[in-house]
């Protein structure tokens, strides 16, 4: 240990990892729900646990969507606060520097 404290992260950077992970969970769960629904429609599986499996995937998709939405809103607010404090636009966010023609 060299005694240096980790650099302080700006407000919007704190939400990046959580938002990204929630988005990944949302996408994978939604994909699984679609696969399970297609299996239900085409194969009509007969195990006793099946009727509770595929609707659960859709319910989890809804929960992950709510979580991701809340995190994304908090992330956008933090970006807005950081922009107001520094007076500089964050070029990593869409709609700032990347949407200008070269």
């Amino acid at each position: 240990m060299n005694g240096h404290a980790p650099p302080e992260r700006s407000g919007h950077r704190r939400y990046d990892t959580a938002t990204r992970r929630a988005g990944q969970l949302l996408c994978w769960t939604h994909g699984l729900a679609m696969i399970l629904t297609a299996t239900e429609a085409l194969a009509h599986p007969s195990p006793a646990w099946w009727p509770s499996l595929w609707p659960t995937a859709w319910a989890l998709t809804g929960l992950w969507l709510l979580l991701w939405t809340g995190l994304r809103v908090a992330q956008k607010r933090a970006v807005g606060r950081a922009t107001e404090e520094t007076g500089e636009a964050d070029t990593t966010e869409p709609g700032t520097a990347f949407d200008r023609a070269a």
Side-chain angles (χ1 to χ4, degrees), residues 9-62:
R9 297 171 68 183
S10 61
H12 67 282
R13 299 277 185 228
R14 289 183 221 143
Y15 292 105
D16 286 348
T17 301
T19 304
R20 190 176 323 115
R21 296 285 183 237
Q24 290 170 346
L25 283 170
L26 171 61
C27 289
W28 281 102
T29 306
H30 185 236
L32 177 65
M34 291 183 350
I35 289 170
L36 292 174
T37 300
T39 302
E40 170 69 21
L42 299 173
H44 304 292
S46 60
W49 47 265
W50 181 261
S52 63
L53 177 68
W54 69 273
T56 301
W58 283 108
L60 285 174
T61 299

Side-chain angles (χ1 to χ4, degrees), residues 66-91:
L66 291 173
L67 174 67
W68 177 82
T69 302
L71 286 169
R72 189 67 176 142
V73 166
Q75 184 183 31
K76 289 288 189 177
R77 285 184 181 158
V79 166
R81 280 193 302 269
T83 302
E84 289 173 3
E85 289 173 5
T86 62
E88 297 176 8
D90 182 10
T91 58

